[in-house]
Amino acid sequence: MAKNILWIPGPTEVRPEILAECARPMIGHRSKAMTALTERLDPHLKLAFGLAQGSTAHVAVHTCAATGMMESSLRGVGPKVLCLVNGSFSKRFAEIAEQVGKTVVKLSVPMGQSVSMNDLETALREKGPFDAVTLVSNETSAGVRTPLAEVAAVMKKFPDVMLLVDLVSYIAGAPVDFDANRMDFAFAGIQKALALPPGLTVACASQRYLENAKNQKLRGFYLDPINIIEGHEQRATPATPAISLYYALAKQLEDISAGVMLYDANKGKTGAAAWRARFDEHLTMVKTCEAWAERQGLKYLAVPALRSPTVSCIEKGDLDVAALIAGLKEKGHEIGNGYGDLKDKSFRIGHMGDHTNTRLKEMLAQLDVVVDQLRRAAPQAR
Ligand SMILES: Cc1ncc(COP(=O)(O)O)c(C=O)c1O
């Protein structure tokens, strides 16, 4: 059976040449070859996290799902945590904080919104002192991004509070600027805008996060952030890593930095310019999706300023979401249903990773056909 092209909000399409990297012969994880493989990653991870010149932050890779790194990030901070909740994954971050024994204060807004910076500042001032704030930069469940620079501006007024950031559907789709945005621990799975098979997370920790983490007790072992960062830096991971995925990650990062998938005017860019061009291409795809929704009389869940660079969450309007998804699948493309409370009330298009604007337009043309068929079949719904 032919596979559908994935436009779900992750995992995303993986290029065949990247999948082929996973088929390389196995090597020992304590071998020189493994050290060399790990060393290929760091310069590109620094670009992915947007580290400033002379940054003292530490990058790492860990074999686990991104949820594991939510937990890991929390194990390195003190007992009181403020969790910004605006969707299913930020809710999960808060739940994990409770599960690992933190005293949690939640600042919650409905899906489709992001926490206001006034409310963040007030909570930090009046409900603290806090040891850390958790933030999901791009709520994949609702297609909402929280502006990182605005969060940073507030956090700079509270220099002792650690900022823990989920970058899962954000990294490689938009600029992270880890130092400029005053992050302390940030992480992402590789199955979204990095366009890789799932199974690894990439992470970045500030020097002060690591120093502070050393004072925290009961950090566990497999998810101890110190073990993860030091294991990566010493090229001696605490447990056997997913070596095949390291090969895929190394090639994909090198390809992104070499501008291999860039198109049109961006062709030929390399290094940091290639990463910036990749972000611009994601923005182009958002615009294409927005124009499509408007043409079809459909509304985004989020207001324009908060729309995700990688995931469009569109309200169902007069459409039957299950029928829409099924109809498009017959045409060889797969989009996502709404997540959690938004299931069957919205649908999500993941326009990220190595997808191009041209390919997106082709998919949306097919979606037009399906929408048209559904509206003809149920004209009274309009
Ligand atoms: C924003 C966000 N955070 C966390 C996760 C969880 O990732 P994982 O399934 O790799 O644990 C997801 C998955 O979609 C996500 O979108």
Side-chain angles (χ1 to χ4, degrees), residues 315-337:
E315 292 175 0
K316 75 183 232 0
D318 58 313
L319 301 171
D320 174 329
V321 175
L324 184 74
I325 293 171
L328 189 65
K329 257 190 194 168
E330 278 173 21
K331 301 193 175 305
H333 299 274
E334 194 169 338
I335 57 171
N337 203 323

Side-chain angles (χ1 to χ4, degrees), residues 299-348:
K299 288 198 190 109
Y300 269 63
L301 185 69
V303 295
L306 299 181
R307 282 181 198 158
S308 158
T310 53
V311 182
S312 285
C313 182
I314 299 170
E315 292 175 0
K316 75 183 232 0
D318 58 313
L319 301 171
D320 174 329
V321 175
L324 184 74
I325 293 171
L328 189 65
K329 257 190 194 168
E330 278 173 21
K331 301 193 175 305
H333 299 274
E334 194 169 338
I335 57 171
N337 203 323
Y339 193 95
D341 293 345
L342 294 177
K343 185 165 192 278
D344 294 329
K345 294 183 190 145
S346 66
F347 59 94
R348 292 174 303 154

Side-chain angles (χ1 to χ4, degrees), residues 29 56 60 67 71 109 122 135 202 281 311 320 324 326:
H29 66 294
T56 53
T67 303
E71 187 165 332
V109 291
T122 306
L135 167 72
V202 294
E281 289 182 352
V311 182
D320 174 329
L324 184 74

Side-chain angles (χ1 to χ4, degrees), residues 27 62 125 141 153 190 226 235 322 330 360:
I27 55 173
H62 192 49
R125 232 176 261 297
S141 60
I190 60 171
I226 306 276
R235 313 303 183 213
E330 278 173 21
L360 177 63

